[in-house]
Amino acid sequence: MNRLILMRHAKAEREAPSGRDVDRPLSARGVNDAGLVARALAQRGVRPDMALVSGAERTRRTWDAVHDAFGDVEVLIEPGLYDASASTLRRAVEAQEDRAGCLILIAHNPGVHQLAVELLIEGAASPAAIERFAAGFPTGAAAVFALDANGRASLELFLKPRDVGGGADV
């Protein structure tokens, strides 16, 4: 794998009809924001060939909103990624490193945010790069990391929906 995209699910409704958090759908703004971010990534030449997606309704619907921008992508829906820790997300990514050139992981905070910060620190990112993540990892945002031969990550791009004409950060 030479590139990793970490994406937090887009803006979701506050409640699901079932009352279960895992079933919360995307809001209309979330669908729009996810599509905007995906198209911005694709316009910059960032297109995954594999997707790891949490089994939650909001992450699966985020994938539905972004996949058209990327073309043909192998998709794995992983229920164990729902509300997963950074270490669980990392293990899931590492398990696919020989199968994907560019992998997108669509999951949840705090795991996505923590994994992004860990990758920055391990890759000896500048304080300015780390500071970009100090305010968090908003819904619908995507961080793109280039991976070197040793697996060290360097941040290429961090796009928030508001950067591409979407809603306010949450």
Side-chain angles (χ1 to χ4, degrees), residues 3 20 24 38-39 44 46 54 58 70 75 81 87 94 99 101 107 109 113 119 121 126 129 134 138 142-143 147 156:
R3 190 179 264 167
R20 296 176 351 137
R24 287 192 302 135
R39 287 187 295 280
R44 290 165 171 82
V46 179
S54 156
R58 59 192 176 275
F70 298 135
V75 181
L81 299 180
S87 60
E94 289 172 347
R99 296 184 58 205
N109 270 357
H113 182 224
L119 292 173
I121 292 168
S126 70
L147 304 174
E156 288 185 335

Side-chain angles (χ1 to χ4, degrees), residues 18-146:
S18 70
R20 296 176 351 137
D21 182 69
V22 72
D23 295 331
R24 287 192 302 135
L26 286 189
S27 67
R29 187 185 104 199
V31 172
N32 182 63
D33 286 355
L36 287 170
V37 169
R39 287 187 295 280
L41 289 170
Q43 289 168 355
R44 290 165 171 82
V46 179
R47 288 188 169 92
D49 48 35
M50 177 178 266
L52 283 176
V53 181
S54 156
E57 179 73 12
R58 59 192 176 275
T59 48
R60 289 183 291 118
R61 296 302 154 237
T62 298
W63 173 250
D64 290 346
V66 304
H67 80 276
D68 284 346
F70 298 135
D72 191 28
V73 177
E74 180 181 355
V75 181
L76 299 173
I77 305 296
E78 297 285 343
L81 299 180
Y82 170 66
D83 204 23
S85 67
S87 60
T88 298
L89 296 176
R90 183 187 293 255
R91 283 192 302 276
V93 167
E94 289 172 347
Q96 304 303 326
E97 65 188 1
D98 292 335
R99 296 184 58 205
C102 178
L103 181 135
I104 185 169
L105 171 72
I106 303 177
H108 313 265
N109 270 357
V112 169
H113 182 224
Q114 290 170 341
L115 180 55
V117 171
E118 287 174 12
L119 292 173
L120 288 168
I121 292 168
E122 292 165 11
S126 70
I130 295 170
E131 180 65 27
R132 291 193 67 201
F133 287 84
F137 204 111
T139 55
V144 180
F145 292 90

